[in-house]
Amino acid sequence: MSATSAETVPFGIYIHWPFCLSKCPYCDFNSHVANSVDHVRWRKALRAELAAGAARHPGRAVGSVFFGGGTPSLMDPETAGALIDDIKTFWNVTDDIEITLEANPGTVEIDRFSAFAANGINRVSIGIQALNDRDLKFLGRLHSAEEAMRALDVATSVFDRFSFDLIYARPEHDPKAWRKELRQGLAIANGHISLYQLTIEPGTQFYTLHQRGELVVPDEDLATELYEITQEETQAAGYGCYEVSNHAKPGQESRHNLVYWRYGDYLGIGPGAHGREAIIQPDGTTVPTAVRRHRAPDIWLDRVEKAGNGTQEEIVLEADERLLEMVMMGLRLNETIPTARFERIIGKGPRDVLDNARLETLIGSGDLICDSAGLRTTDQGRNRLNGVLGYLFDPAA
C-alpha cells in the first residue's frame, strides 16, 4: 500500500442490520434481539434511505459496500441483492468492488452463503471469536467450535475472499494455548484475519461483572505477552499487521475498512449507522459532515417510512475535529498519513497543525516518525497508540 493511494480512496457504503439471535456479553454495538422481523418492510426502508443518500452524493465511484450489524447474515439474501442492485444503479462502481457481509457460524446462516453470493456478496467476515467450546460459551456465542470450522469450510468453497475474527486476552488465557489456537486459525485463514484483545466496554454484561469483581481479565504483562505472540505467529504465517487488530497477506486488506482509516467519505444507512459525508452546498462547495442515523430500530423505521431517511443529527466537522479524527484513524495503519492528506483535509501540513514540542517528544521516544512523506507510528508507537494520541492531543496530558 502506497501513501499516495490514500488520496484516491473510493466512496464507501455501510449498511446496518440491527438484529441478532442473542446479545453477546462483550458487545456494545447497536444490536437488538427481536422475536420477528418484517423483512419486506425493512428491505423497503433500507432502499428508501439508500436512495436518499444517492441523491446527496451523485457522481461518486463506489469501491466498497459493507453489511454490518447486528447479524446481517440473518437478513433475507434478496434484501442484500436489492440494495446491491440499487447501488449499481445509483453510482458507478469500481471494477474490483468489495461487498462484504458480516456473518455468524450458525447452521442456518452457513446454509445461506450461496444465496448471498448469488445476490452479489463477494466477501464474508465471520465472527468465530474462539476455536474451543469452553471459551465460546464464556463469550456468549451460540455456535460450537465444530460449527465454526464448518463455516470456514463453506466460506472457502463459496467465496474467493473471506475473513474471520478471534478474541484473545480472555480470563486466564494461557499463552501456550493461545499460540496453538492462533496457529490453528492461521492454517485455515484465507488471506485476512482480525485478532482483537478482549476489552470491557461500558453498558455490556461483561462490564457489570467486571465492576463486581466477578470477571478478571489478564493483567498488562500477560496481555502484552499475548499480543507479542499474536504478532510473532501472524508474521511467521505471512500475515502483515496492517492495522492494530487486522492482519492480511499482501493485497487482501479490507478495502472498506481502509476507507475509514484513510479518512475517506462514506455513507451509512440503517439504524445507528454513522457516515462521514462531503455534503454539496447550493453554491457548489462541500462541507465535511458527520451524519448519524437514529439508533432505535423502531424509531428509525418509522422516520424512514415517513420522511425517506432516519437521520438524527448532522454535525459539520471543524478543522480541529477533522484533524483529530484523521490522525486517530490514520495512525492505526502500518503506513504513512501522507502530507497531501493533511493538506486535503486541513489545508496545512502536519507540522503546521500539530503541537511541535509534543511531536518532537514522541519522535524522540521512538513512537512517531514525521518527515517529508507525512506522519506515521513505529511498531512501538502503534502498540501503545492510546497513550500516544492522548499525549499528542490532550492539553492536560
Side-chain angles (χ1 to χ4, degrees):
M1 295 180 293
S2 67
T4 55
S5 67
E7 303 319 303
T8 57
V9 181
F11 193 56
I13 297 174
Y14 174 80
I15 300 170
H16 191 79
W17 182 263
F19 303 114
C20 285
L21 293 177
S22 66
K23 183 78 171 179
C24 294
Y26 56 84
C27 176
D28 67 339
F29 295 159
N30 187 33
S31 59
H32 306 263
V33 178
N35 293 326
S36 63
V37 176
D38 186 335
H39 286 267
V40 173
R41 189 180 175 197
W42 273 83
R43 182 185 309 153
K44 183 177 180 181
L46 288 167
R47 294 182 72 182
E49 188 163 72
L50 181 65
R56 284 161 49 120
H57 300 285
R60 302 301 299 263
V62 176
S64 66
V65 181
F66 195 99
F67 291 85
T71 308
S73 49
L74 293 173
M75 73 165 62
D76 284 345
E78 294 79 8
T79 298
L83 289 161
I84 293 167
D85 287 345
D86 287 347
I87 289 167
K88 292 179 177 180
T89 299
F90 295 143
W91 293 280
N92 292 323
V93 301
T94 60
D95 292 338
D96 62 347
I97 185 170
E98 175 189 272
I99 306 176
T100 302
L101 178 87
E102 285 188 333
N104 281 334
T107 302
V108 173
E109 297 168 63
I110 295 172
D111 291 343
R112 303 167 80 196
F113 278 4
S114 293
F116 278 110
N119 277 279
I121 300 295
N122 60 24
R123 181 178 182 271
V124 289
S125 178
I126 307 172
I128 302 291
Q129 314 309 4
L131 292 173
N132 66 81
D133 289 338
R134 185 197 69 174
D135 285 349
L136 285 170
K137 182 178 180 180
F138 162 74
L139 291 168
R141 307 298 286 168
L142 298 182
H143 63 272
S144 66
E146 182 179 354
E147 286 177 312
M149 300 303 290
R150 179 169 177 258
L152 295 173
D153 285 342
V154 175
T156 301
S157 66
V158 174
F159 298 100
D160 291 333
R161 299 178 66 215
F162 69 84
S163 178
F164 63 93
D165 305 346
L166 294 176
I167 293 174
Y168 67 96
R170 311 162 202 153
E172 301 179 358
H173 205 175
D174 177 68
K176 290 183 179 179
W178 172 234
R179 191 182 293 275
K180 180 180 178 181
E181 183 178 17
L182 183 52
R183 286 180 178 177
Q184 181 185 1
L186 287 166
I188 307 163
N190 185 38
H192 192 285
I193 187 169
S194 298
L195 303 167
Y196 298 104
Q197 182 173 323
L198 178 64
T199 55
I200 307 301
E201 302 292 347
T204 65
Q205 182 182 342
F206 274 2
Y207 182 82
T208 301
L209 294 174
H210 188 258
Q211 291 293 100
R212 293 176 183 166
E214 298 174 20
L215 189 157
V216 180
V217 296
D219 61 22
E220 185 175 349
D221 289 342
L222 178 54
T224 298
E225 183 179 359
L226 293 166
Y227 172 83
E228 290 172 348
I229 289 171
T230 302
Q231 305 314 309
E232 291 170 9
E233 294 298 328
T234 51
Q235 289 174 18
Y239 284 73
C241 182
Y242 74 99
E243 189 270 343
V244 172
S245 300
N246 287 274
H247 307 255
K249 291 188 174 180
Q252 293 301 311
E253 298 85 1
S254 168
R255 297 169 202 162
H256 184 80
N257 285 336
L258 285 172
V259 172
Y260 303 150
W261 296 321
R262 289 174 172 167
Y263 212 67
D265 294 335
Y266 62 95
L267 172 69
I269 72 166
H274 289 240
R276 186 168 57 240
E277 307 179 30
I279 297 179
I280 301 173
Q281 303 300 298
D283 63 0
T285 60
T286 59
V287 177
T289 305
V291 179
R292 180 169 64 91
R293 312 295 178 185
H294 203 288
R295 186 177 177 87
D298 289 344
I299 295 175
W300 174 87
L301 186 60
D302 181 66
R303 289 189 176 189
V304 174
E305 290 178 334
K306 289 179 178 176
N309 71 77
T311 301
Q312 183 167 359
E313 65 177 353
E314 297 183 1
I315 300 173
V316 174
L317 297 170
E318 302 298 334
D320 58 340
E321 295 171 304
R322 300 198 302 275
L323 174 65
L324 175 61
E325 288 185 352
M326 181 186 68
V327 173
M328 283 180 62
M329 301 299 280
L331 290 184
R332 296 181 65 88
L333 290 170
N334 184 24
E335 66 180 28
T336 298
I337 306 175
T339 298
R341 189 185 309 164
F342 278 90
E343 293 171 344
R344 174 172 62 87
I345 301 299
I346 311 298
K348 299 178 180 179
R351 289 191 177 273
D352 297 318
V353 292
L354 295 171
D355 185 308
N356 273 263
R358 295 189 177 217
L359 187 59
E360 287 299 332
T361 297
L362 291 168
I363 292 170
S365 65
D367 292 304
L368 290 180
I369 297 171
C370 188
D371 54 24
S372 60
L375 180 71
R376 62 187 179 275
T377 54
T378 62
D379 290 343
Q380 171 186 294
R382 201 160 51 255
N383 188 25
R384 53 188 189 188
L385 185 57
N386 288 341
V388 169
L389 290 169
Y391 180 75
L392 191 59
F393 285 101
D394 184 357

